Amino acid sequence: MGKTILITGGAGFIGSHVVRLFVNKYPDYLIVNLDKLTYAGNLENLADIEHRPNYRFVKADITNLQQVNTLFHEYRFDGIIHLAAESHVDRSITHPLDFIQTNIVGTVNLLNSAKEKWQGHYHEKIFYHISTDEVFGSLGKEGYFTEDTAYDPRSPYSASKASSDHLVRAYHNTYGLPVKISNCSNNYGPNQFPEKLIPLAINNIKNSQAIPVYGAGENIRDWLYVEDHAKAIDVIFHQGKIGETYTIGGNNEWKNIDLIRLLCRIMDEKLNRPVGTSEMLITFVTDRAGHDLRYAIDASKLKNELDWSPSLTFEQGLVLTVDWYLANERWLRHVVNGDYEKYYEKQYQHR
Ligand code: NAD
Ligand code: TDX
């Protein structure tokens, strides 16, 4: 066996793509997936690799220090790729404490366990923390986030992620823990929970329901296909420098309303509906509180130092995504359960 790697949040959207990539690409590694299986965690995401000899799943909660310590006693981890988090901005506005607990306390538990268990072996270990571009705040019409941009988080979600980034850096500076951090832009692709814009819109269009666009739809996001993010994580984990930060982006900025219109055209074609049918579902609703205007990434450090760049265009990635959701009705039915319906009703009823 080669390395033993702990991936946290591996049953979630991005985590499941990272787990699959590592299990397939590194048959001599043991991949241990720690996940609490919250509403966002779904083992169906990993059904194709669950019986592989180099894969283990452990149901545990990173906010529970005892559970984390037990796992560190059971396995001799060479590296950690930490993705477990509460990840939806709207939920952070209604339930900020859940974000403080998992994103901050949970990250510190992992840092403490690694610090103690890896004592004397720091030179051969990696603690890789996965973060978001939202920690940098909101851009105006011009400019890009880089690794040197000052932090300016503006939602409970981004503030909790910023806090966890600071703590990861603090453990590096104070204790010498060997860390790496990356901050990525908006991901999209298969297995994303349909509370996030793209899968929510696909699901609603499929069911001929309103597509809720916040405000005037003028907010801008940079979008990256999830498998390209997983590849960047692989490259940074293996070749990135200890103590460094890398920003990851798709070089692919879209106004929400333009993105939704493109998605509508793709859905009309895929569902054999007359052109314009899906666009009629667009409904402008009350804006998100504190809605960040624009995110955009300058990923040239990653390109220049580690030769990573996105492999798909947005149109290619969106078609793959739409095809996946239309072909995986069972997956969608299972995640859009009673709890989600209640959340959806509450979230959108007064907008
Ligand atoms: P997700 O919500 O789909 O998945 C999160 C996973 O973490 C789930 O499987 C969930 O069960 C697990 N989890 C939550 N709380 C836990 C706890 N207390 N203990 C153990 N497991 C727990 O999220 P995602 O979109 O896949 O994001 C993964 C990571 O990437 C997050 O850290 C997020 O901040 C970051 N990120 C996401 C995006 C994006 O566009 N989705 C972009 C940049 C960075
Ligand atoms: O119903 C909606 N209508 C709408 O107009 C939803 C859910 C969103 N939006 C808007 C808000 C944003 O401007 O679409 C944009 C994208 O929204 P989300 O999919 O909720 O993503 P965002 O808030 O940008 O955050 C995402 O990217 C960065 C992820 O959820 C984070 O986990 C990641 O860190």
Side-chain angles (χ1 to χ4, degrees):
M1 265 293 170
K3 296 173 192 295
T4 299
I5 312 287
L6 172 65
I7 298 182
T8 71
F13 166 47
I14 302 171
S16 62
H17 288 273
V18 176
V19 166
R20 176 175 300 99
L21 176 70
F22 274 65
V23 164
N24 284 331
K25 188 169 171 187
Y26 303 105
D28 62 328
Y29 284 14
L30 178 64
I31 304 301
V32 179
N33 172 11
L34 176 168
D35 200 296
K36 181 183 171 183
L37 300 182
T38 66
Y39 78 93
N42 182 354
L43 288 177
E44 286 183 34
N45 293 346
L46 293 165
D48 57 324
I49 57 110
E50 68 185 355
H51 297 303
R52 294 290 176 78
N54 66 334
Y55 172 71
R56 305 272 185 289
F57 173 70
V58 179
K59 186 172 187 305
D61 183 342
I62 57 169
T63 69
N64 184 324
L65 183 58
Q66 207 184 331
Q67 289 182 5
V68 174
N69 278 336
T70 303
L71 202 63
F72 271 79
H73 279 105
E74 226 165 283
Y75 295 93
R76 199 190 130 275
F77 294 123
D78 299 293
I80 299 172
I81 305 177
H82 174 37
L83 296 109
E86 287 292 339
S87 70
H88 191 38
V89 174
D90 291 325
R91 289 185 193 251
S92 85
I93 294 168
T94 50
H95 293 86
L97 260 183
D98 295 346
F99 288 69
I100 308 305
Q101 279 302 325
T102 288
N103 299 0
I104 305 178
V105 177
T107 300
V108 174
N109 283 341
L110 290 165
L111 287 166
N112 278 335
S113 289
K115 170 176 157 287
E116 275 157 39
K117 205 64 194 157
W118 289 353
Q119 206 57 253
H121 300 275
Y122 284 1
H123 58 285
E124 57 198 36
K125 309 288 187 186
I126 301 168
F127 188 109
Y128 179 11
H129 177 62
I130 306 301
S131 193
T132 169
D133 61 357
E134 300 198 14
V135 299
F136 301 122
S138 181
L139 290 166
K141 287 202 162 50
E142 304 285 314
Y144 295 91
F145 298 136
T146 73
E147 290 77 7
D148 298 322
T149 304
Y151 276 42
D152 183 22
R154 292 156 40 96
S155 73
Y157 164 68
S158 55
S160 69
K161 291 297 290 187
S163 174
S164 65
D165 292 13
H166 290 322
L167 285 156
V168 170
R169 284 198 188 93
Y171 272 64
H172 178 64
N173 291 321
T174 310
Y175 309 110
L177 198 73
V179 309
K180 303 180 185 184
I181 298 179
S182 57
N183 299 84
C184 188
S185 59
N186 285 54
N187 284 218
Y188 71 100
N191 307 98
Q192 188 168 31
F193 193 84
E195 65 188 352
K196 307 279 166 65
L197 180 66
I198 290 180
L200 184 147
I202 293 174
N203 191 34
N204 285 16
I205 294 170
K206 190 172 134 244
N207 298 317
S208 299
Q209 283 173 2
I211 311 166
V213 174
Y214 296 168
E218 295 288 311
N219 303 68
I220 296 172
R221 299 291 182 263
D222 171 67
W223 294 92
L224 179 66
Y225 192 64
V226 63
E227 287 183 1
D228 276 333
H229 187 191
K231 286 178 194 162
I233 289 173
D234 176 24
V235 168
I236 293 168
F237 180 77
H238 286 98
Q239 296 163 45
K241 288 198 201 108
I242 294 293
E244 295 273 319
T245 294
Y246 299 87
T247 52
I248 311 173
N251 202 11
N252 176 42
E253 288 181 53
W254 284 79
K255 247 186 215 173
N256 290 339
I257 188 64
D258 295 338
L259 184 164
I260 291 297
R261 291 205 171 105
L262 171 63
L263 190 59
C264 285
R265 286 198 291 280
I266 295 173
M267 290 292 286
D268 283 346
E269 197 183 312
K270 295 284 174 188
L271 296 170
N272 288 320
R273 292 177 181 170
V275 178
T277 308
S278 301
E279 275 204 24
M280 290 196 308
L281 298 169
I282 293 175
T283 308
F284 293 96
V285 300
T286 309
D287 209 351
R288 172 184 281 171
H291 197 173
D292 289 342
L293 177 67
R294 174 171 167 256
Y295 306 141
I297 292 276
D298 175 350
S300 50
K301 175 177 175 182
L302 193 52
K303 167 78 187 141
N304 296 336
E305 293 186 12
L306 303 181
D307 198 25
W308 175 92
S309 47
S311 68
L312 294 181
T313 65
F314 194 43
E315 284 76 1
Q316 288 170 326
L318 262 190
V319 169
L320 285 177
T321 305
V322 167
D323 285 345
W324 187 87
Y325 278 92
L326 294 180
N328 286 275
E329 286 219 1
R330 213 176 85 105
W331 182 94
L332 204 51
R333 221 176 28 250
H334 286 181
V335 300
V336 184
N337 60 13
D339 287 344
Y340 178 68
E341 272 166 23
K342 265 185 258 155
Y343 160 82
Y344 193 88
E345 215 169 274
K346 212 165 154 207
Q347 182 67 26
Y348 291 94
Q349 69 182 345
H350 297 305
R351 283 184 180 272

